[in-house]
């Protein structure tokens, strides 16, 4: 069932400014930060002027420069405090995650985070102030990955029993041990399965030389090619600790298997768009992966449902509109927005927690 959290506050627009003129400053940790995909949408809104800054140096604006009506902040606590000090007249919105100190949000007019599981890890004093708006993720069309070959020189193609792993997700040592055991389990059970490891090398995996020869490493493929590699796989193994990277595999049509941690539960529907293992054990993950490798029709259906879920519930344009309401208040003539034909235009809070 969807959970809705909304605390939209109309920002203070300075006297003498037309209501349709709206100036937004976005302060991020990097030039290509969390909100970069949303900025082009905001820039199309009538009367909106949008400026992005990455860190304090980029915020040294001349006296005649834009004074924002609203500031959206996703940065370190020191820079966030400076925003509070330098733009007191603006409507100030802070993005937080599960690690944010509640004290850092004091003084901001509004607080937002990407996921319900992140919101739920904060004390009630902050949790009650947080709007949950995921920033969206694009559902890209399938593109060929290029010349991807196994160690034996055989090309890897979509539709074959390929299991993928994105190694940057498996940073926790306990997760890495469970992954190694799960892969041993799968390789023993399915002698035709290949494992596609994207990124850094795997932890130590034991097995016969023939088994280990079926593990192929693609080191640092680049962001664009990484998605095409994910799209090759029938099954994707995920540690379940990041909803964002789980959404990435879903967006490329992977049947994703993950432990039932809160981030995975929020985006994966067990038995509909993926499989949630009861525990983070090697046996549970291995059995779930083997079940989908043995049943390609179900794996294909899970992948289609996963892509549809991302397109419906995590659409970038929908996220841009929800953020625009939080920053600006009600938008003028919403039906005629340049990007108003949205997949879930009537669903203000489509960011569901599937439990």
């Amino acid at each position: 069932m969807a959970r809705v959290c909304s605390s939209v506050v109309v920002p203070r627009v300075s006297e003498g400014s037309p209501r349709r003129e709206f100036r937004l400053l976005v302060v991020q940790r990097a030039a290509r930060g969390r909100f970069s995909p949303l900025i082009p949408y905001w820039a199309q809104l009538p009367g909106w002027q949008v400026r992005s800054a990455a860190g304090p140096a980029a915020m040294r604006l001349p006296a005649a420069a834009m004074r924002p009506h609203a500031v959206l902040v996703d940065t370190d606590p020191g820079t966030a405090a400076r925003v509070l000090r330098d733009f007191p007249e603006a409507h100030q919105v802070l993005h937080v995650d599960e690690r944010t100190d509640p004290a850092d949000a004091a003084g901001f007019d509004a607080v937002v985070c990407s996921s319900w599981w992140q919101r739920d890890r904060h004390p009630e004093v902050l949790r009650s102030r947080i709007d949950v708006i995921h920033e969206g993720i694009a559902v890209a069309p399938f593109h060929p990955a290029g010349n991807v070959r196994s160690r034996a020189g055989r090309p890897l193609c979509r539709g074959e029993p390929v299991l993928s792993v994105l190694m940057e997700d498996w940073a926790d040592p306990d997760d890495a041990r469970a992954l190694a055991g799960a892969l041993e389990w799968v390789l023993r059970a399915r002698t035709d399965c290949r494992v596609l490891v994207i990124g850094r090398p795997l932890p130590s995996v034991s097995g016969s030389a023939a088994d280990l020869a079926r593990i192929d490493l693609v080191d640092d493929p680049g962001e664009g090619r990484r998605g095409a590699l994910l799209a090759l796989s029938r099954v994707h193994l995920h540690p379940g600790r990041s909803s964002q990277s789980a959404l990435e595999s879903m967006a490329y049509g992977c049947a994703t298997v993950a432990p039932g941690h809160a981030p995975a539960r929020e985006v994966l529907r067990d038995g509909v768009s993926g499989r949630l293992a009861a525990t983070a054990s090697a046996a549970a993950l291995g059995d779930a992966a083997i079940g989908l490798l043995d049943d390609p029709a179900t794996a294909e259906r899970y992948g289609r449902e996963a892509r549809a879920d991302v397109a419906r519930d995590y659409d970038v344009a929908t996220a841009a509109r929800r953020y625009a309401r939080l920053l600006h208040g009600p938008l003028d003539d919403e039906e005629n927005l340049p990007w108003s034909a949205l997949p879930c235009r009537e669903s203000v809070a489509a960011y569901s927690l599937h439990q």
Side-chain angles (χ1 to χ4, degrees), residues 28-342:
Q28 307 187 91
R29 298 175 187 271
R32 285 292 302 171
R34 178 185 308 275
F35 300 117
S36 295
L38 305 182
I39 289 174
Y41 289 92
W42 297 329
Q44 294 179 58
L45 289 171
W48 281 49
Q49 301 173 37
V50 185
R51 178 170 296 181
S52 180
M59 290 166 52
R60 295 185 183 130
L61 305 176
M66 178 183 78
R67 295 299 296 178
H69 294 125
V71 184
L72 178 59
V73 181
D74 177 38
T75 187
D76 61 274
T79 303
R82 178 179 170 181
V83 169
L84 285 174
R85 183 180 68 248
D86 287 359
F87 305 106
E89 74 285 1
H91 180 59
Q92 298 164 331
V93 179
L94 177 68
H95 184 278
V96 302
D97 59 25
E98 72 278 12
R99 298 161 295 187
T100 303
D101 187 332
D104 295 335
F108 280 86
D109 298 305
V111 185
V112 65
C113 72
S114 301
S115 304
W116 288 103
W117 67 268
Q118 293 174 320
R119 174 185 179 270
D120 290 346
R121 292 192 179 182
H122 286 291
E124 175 60 25
V125 65
L126 179 56
R127 191 166 62 243
S128 61
R129 299 181 55 210
I130 295 177
D131 278 88
V132 178
I133 307 176
H134 194 277
E135 55 272 17
I137 182 169
V139 179
F142 289 124
H143 292 296
N147 187 20
V148 180
R149 294 182 177 273
S150 70
R151 288 184 178 178
R154 186 175 64 84
L156 295 173
C157 303
R158 182 169 176 80
E160 296 181 343
V162 175
L163 182 149
S164 63
V165 175
L166 190 59
M167 278 308 299
E168 67 188 50
D169 294 334
W170 297 83
D172 182 274
D174 291 336
D175 289 345
R177 282 190 290 271
L179 171 64
L183 293 181
E184 293 167 16
W185 199 273
V186 170
L187 289 169
R188 284 198 303 268
R190 286 292 303 249
T191 57
D192 60 339
C193 174
R194 303 206 65 86
V195 175
L196 184 59
V197 178
I198 304 169
R200 58 185 172 82
L202 278 167
S204 178
V205 176
S206 62
S208 68
D211 288 344
L212 297 181
R214 289 186 281 133
I215 300 176
D216 295 288
L217 173 66
V218 180
D219 188 15
D220 192 22
E223 185 175 347
R225 191 163 181 257
R226 183 171 76 174
L229 290 168
L230 286 173
L232 287 175
S233 61
R234 181 179 299 174
V235 178
H236 180 73
L237 270 183
H238 187 274
R241 299 187 187 274
S242 165
S243 49
Q244 184 67 19
S245 59
L247 284 169
E248 180 183 5
S249 67
M250 293 167 64
Y252 284 97
C254 296
T256 301
V257 172
H261 300 309
R265 286 202 314 271
E266 184 162 331
V267 297
L268 273 174
R269 293 185 289 158
D270 188 29
V272 178
S273 62
R275 286 292 308 276
L276 294 173
T279 65
S281 70
L285 291 172
D287 284 341
I290 290 166
L292 289 175
L293 289 168
D294 290 344
D295 188 353
T298 296
E300 187 71 21
R301 175 167 54 84
Y302 285 0
R304 288 196 305 269
E305 291 287 343
R307 280 173 62 84
D309 282 357
V310 173
R312 181 189 63 247
D313 295 343
Y314 298 92
D315 176 70
V316 178
T318 301
R321 185 171 68 171
R322 293 192 67 204
Y323 261 107
R325 287 173 175 162
L326 179 66
L327 294 161
H328 178 281
L331 300 176
D332 295 332
D333 195 14
E334 278 202 50
E335 291 302 313
N336 293 318
L337 291 182
W339 32 274
S340 60
L342 307 179

